[in-house]
Amino acid sequence: MALIRGFAQIDEEGRIPIPRSVYIHLGLKGEEAVQVDVVSIKRGTRRSRLMVHPAGYGSRISPLESVIACGLAHVDGEEAVIPEEELLSFAGFAPGDHLEMKMQGTASQPCLAVYHRVSPVRLSGRDTVKHRGKRVRSMKLNY
């Protein structure tokens, strides 16, 4: 279970904003480069994900996963990760996609896993949707 989670939306320029607590926990200071790996499950049908970590560390993945692409990304002054377009296309990300982030790894070597967000946001409201056979209340959020 991740102790730090975050949510974001990719903007038109391909930037992925990260929460301030994640930015601090990754040990980032100002504008610098980070390593981005595209991780996929071997012989699986799940979508690929991005693993973001400082350039000196390696991402921790399970033996059932493989790194299909890797590269560098820059962190701008507004605490957003700007990966290369090739990495986004390998992971299946496009501008406007909603993302979920989870911190992984140890305190000395943290990683940030970035996934597609597939579940609705559950809040009290009048609008309801069906999700996995259940009726849940949802609300649109602007990031």
Side-chain angles (χ1 to χ4, degrees):
M1 171 185 278
L3 296 177
I4 300 177
R5 274 180 43 179
F7 302 96
Q9 184 177 14
I10 301 176
D11 65 4
E12 297 82 24
E13 299 155 1
R15 298 171 58 232
I16 302 172
I18 57 176
R20 179 77 177 148
S21 59
V22 171
Y23 180 82
I24 292 170
H25 191 71
L26 281 174
L28 301 176
K29 299 175 185 114
E31 299 179 15
E32 60 182 89
V34 292
Q35 181 77 25
V36 178
D37 299 332
V38 180
V39 178
S40 177
I41 296 178
K42 296 177 185 176
R43 298 184 187 102
T45 58
R46 285 189 183 172
R47 288 179 161 180
S48 301
R49 68 173 190 233
L50 294 178
M51 294 293 287
V52 179
H53 52 88
Y57 304 145
S59 61
R60 294 185 167 223
I61 59 174
S62 77
L64 299 175
E65 298 173 328
S66 62
V67 176
I68 58 174
C70 61
L72 290 176
H74 297 284
V75 179
D76 65 1
E78 299 174 1
E79 300 171 0
V81 176
I82 309 169
E84 299 171 356
E85 290 182 24
E86 294 174 355
L87 294 175
L88 289 176
S89 64
F90 271 119
F93 292 163
D97 286 352
H98 294 275
L99 306 175
E100 182 174 353
M101 301 175 215
K102 297 177 184 176
M103 288 299 301
Q104 295 181 346
T106 62
S108 61
Q109 292 187 346
C111 294
L112 176 66
V114 181
Y115 303 87
H116 281 93
R117 181 160 172 79
V118 294
S119 62
V121 178
R122 295 183 183 198
L123 296 171
S124 60
R126 295 181 183 253
D127 296 327
T128 60
V129 294
K130 277 199 165 185
H131 179 66
R132 296 185 183 168
K134 299 178 183 176
R135 296 192 65 78
V136 295
R137 295 181 181 139
S138 67
M139 180 176 183
K140 292 184 180 178
L141 298 175
N142 292 326
Y143 297 94

